[in-house]
Amino acid sequence: GTHEMLARELHETYRTSTAAPKDGTSYHLPWEELPETAKDENRRQSSRIHRLLDQTGYRIIALQDFDGDAFQFSVEEVEQMARLEHELWCQAKLADGWKFGPIRDAKKRTHPDLLQWEQLPPGEKEKNYAFIRGLPSLLSKSGFQIDNRLKNPK
């Protein structure tokens, strides 16, 4: 369904847009070769997208407009969703036994971004902003778009 398609696209976007981590994780493998735990992380992020959009009055629908990827959130919506995405990501990591550490280490389960939103460095916040701004494109690649009829009923 929607979640699995988005999870695969999230992984592919990550894999093609970032350098491989130096901690030996397998996150840059093709989807079919990923360990199930890594697939599950992408599935959880896919589920978070639904929550982010719901919180701001949007939902995901099948692609109907070929320019669905041109949709733009307001600055306030980007801020709200980026903050929520970070908070939900932190909750998921902590629930999986991760803790704050100055270096990302999958074996020790430490991550330098397990901080409150206000404590995150600007560059790390920007990653969240970019993710939110990129949602329309991500959804479009997967055959979906953002529907704002909940916000602006006709």
Side-chain angles (χ1 to χ4, degrees):
T2 308
H3 284 81
E4 189 73 9
M5 292 172 67
L6 285 176
R8 286 173 178 257
E9 189 59 43
L10 283 164
H11 174 66
E12 190 59 25
T13 298
Y14 172 80
R15 195 169 82 86
T16 58
S17 65
T18 60
K22 296 177 179 151
D23 65 359
T25 55
S26 57
Y27 298 130
H28 273 68
L29 294 172
W31 180 265
E32 295 75 21
E33 298 174 31
L34 277 180
E36 204 59 33
T37 55
K39 289 179 182 178
D40 286 343
E41 284 186 41
N42 286 284
R43 291 175 181 128
R44 283 192 296 270
Q45 186 174 22
S46 171
S47 292
R48 290 195 307 264
I49 290 171
H50 290 273
R51 286 187 64 188
L52 299 172
L53 293 172
D54 285 346
Q55 290 290 322
T56 49
Y58 297 107
R59 65 186 178 130
I60 298 173
I61 60 172
L63 186 64
Q64 298 173 3
D65 301 321
F66 288 111
D67 61 351
D69 62 342
F71 181 88
Q72 293 183 351
F73 297 109
S74 72
V75 172
E76 294 81 16
E77 290 169 333
V78 170
E79 178 72 27
Q80 180 183 357
M81 286 190 280
R83 175 186 289 265
L84 181 58
E85 165 60 13
H86 178 71
E87 290 169 2
L88 294 172
W89 175 84
C90 284
Q91 289 171 12
K93 283 294 201 192
L94 293 169
D96 280 346
W98 287 71
K99 59 187 178 290
F100 172 80
I103 298 171
R104 185 182 190 285
D105 186 321
K107 290 180 180 145
K108 293 181 181 177
R109 293 182 163 250
T110 60
H111 202 296
D113 297 336
L114 281 169
L115 299 167
Q116 295 294 318
W117 177 255
E118 294 77 18
Q119 297 171 313
L120 269 184
E124 294 305 316
K125 284 184 180 181
E126 181 52 41
K127 288 179 187 177
N128 287 280
Y129 295 140
F131 172 70
I132 298 302
R133 288 190 299 263
L135 283 177
S137 177
L138 175 86
L139 291 167
S140 181
K141 289 177 188 174
S142 300
F144 302 102
Q145 72 180 62
I146 294 170
D147 179 15
N148 67 347
R149 283 181 283 182
L150 296 175
K151 259 188 128 67
N152 304 308
K154 291 182 182 179

